[in-house]
Amino acid sequence: QAYQDMWLKVNYPLAFYAATLTIERKAKAEEDAEWKRGIFREAELFDVKIDPPDVNASERGFIIDGDRLRYGLVSVKGLGGLTVDQVKEVRPVSSFDDFARRTPSNFGADNAAALVKAGAFDSLGEDREALLAKTRRWAKNKYNVVMACGCKKMRTGEPEEWKKPAI
């Protein structure tokens, strides 16, 4: 197995690192983060460039994008599989506001903030600090909608009273 791994790493580094970084490890979060940092450092030695996640281009796991790797959405801290599926359903988006309007009501502002912090909206040319401010307003507006409805938490679905207010 070690020989095969080394052969793949040397002859097909993009495919090797895409697969290695996409593997779900059953480790604690801090151990997994340290393991990924080691893989990133090793990939640099093989001249493998890794682009940040992109709301329009990234997939669930790491993918080969030309002569580079594209960061997988499921590897963004704070996002889960359901959230990634929701992101993929609203694509393509032209701006953060477009994204916010099109995501379902159960898509949290904290998920949007995680995407912003990871750089997933950088390709749209919007400033991260401004986007983080928008996610804070989004969270506040969502809280106000919940309180106005007299409910303790957001429900799934899109009844009229759950429509997201404008950001």
Side-chain angles (χ1 to χ4, degrees):
Q1 181 66 37
Y3 174 79
Q4 293 168 336
D5 288 351
M6 185 55 70
W7 187 86
L8 283 171
K9 187 186 296 188
V10 170
N11 292 292
Y12 299 96
L14 287 173
F16 175 82
Y17 286 107
T20 300
L21 289 165
T22 299
I23 291 172
E24 289 187 33
R25 298 184 67 232
K26 304 293 185 223
K28 293 180 183 170
E30 56 274 358
E31 291 173 5
D32 192 51
E34 183 58 37
W35 176 81
K36 278 191 176 167
R37 280 193 289 277
I39 297 296
F40 290 149
R41 285 190 296 269
E42 185 180 294
E44 284 179 21
L45 297 174
F46 284 86
D47 291 325
V48 173
K49 306 292 185 235
I50 302 173
D51 288 337
D54 185 296
V55 71
N56 284 319
S58 289
E59 294 296 330
R60 200 173 189 75
F62 286 76
I63 59 168
I64 299 172
D65 189 5
D67 62 345
R68 307 170 74 83
L69 289 184
R70 172 73 60 190
Y71 205 92
L73 290 175
V74 83
S75 293
V76 173
K77 185 176 182 176
L79 297 187
L82 177 61
T83 306
V84 170
D85 293 340
Q86 291 173 328
V87 170
K88 291 174 66 177
E89 286 175 16
V90 300
R91 296 200 272 211
V93 296
S94 58
S95 67
F96 180 82
D97 293 334
D98 181 33
F99 176 81
R101 275 190 301 276
R102 294 171 57 195
T103 53
S105 62
N106 63 346
F107 189 89
D110 53 339
N111 295 326
L115 287 167
V116 169
K117 289 175 185 175
F121 294 95
D122 289 357
S123 65
L124 302 177
E126 298 185 60
D127 178 62
R128 284 190 197 184
E129 286 302 315
L131 294 181
L132 285 172
K134 285 184 178 185
T135 63
R136 287 189 288 277
R137 284 194 302 276
W138 182 354
K140 183 178 178 185
N141 288 342
K142 191 173 261 194
Y143 174 80
N144 290 338
V145 168
V146 171
M147 291 294 106
C149 293
C151 300
K152 294 191 191 273
K153 65 179 187 176
M154 294 296 282
R155 298 181 200 165
T156 57
E158 289 289 335
E160 197 56 41
E161 70 262 22
W162 292 105
K163 294 288 185 193
K164 278 188 276 194
I167 295 176

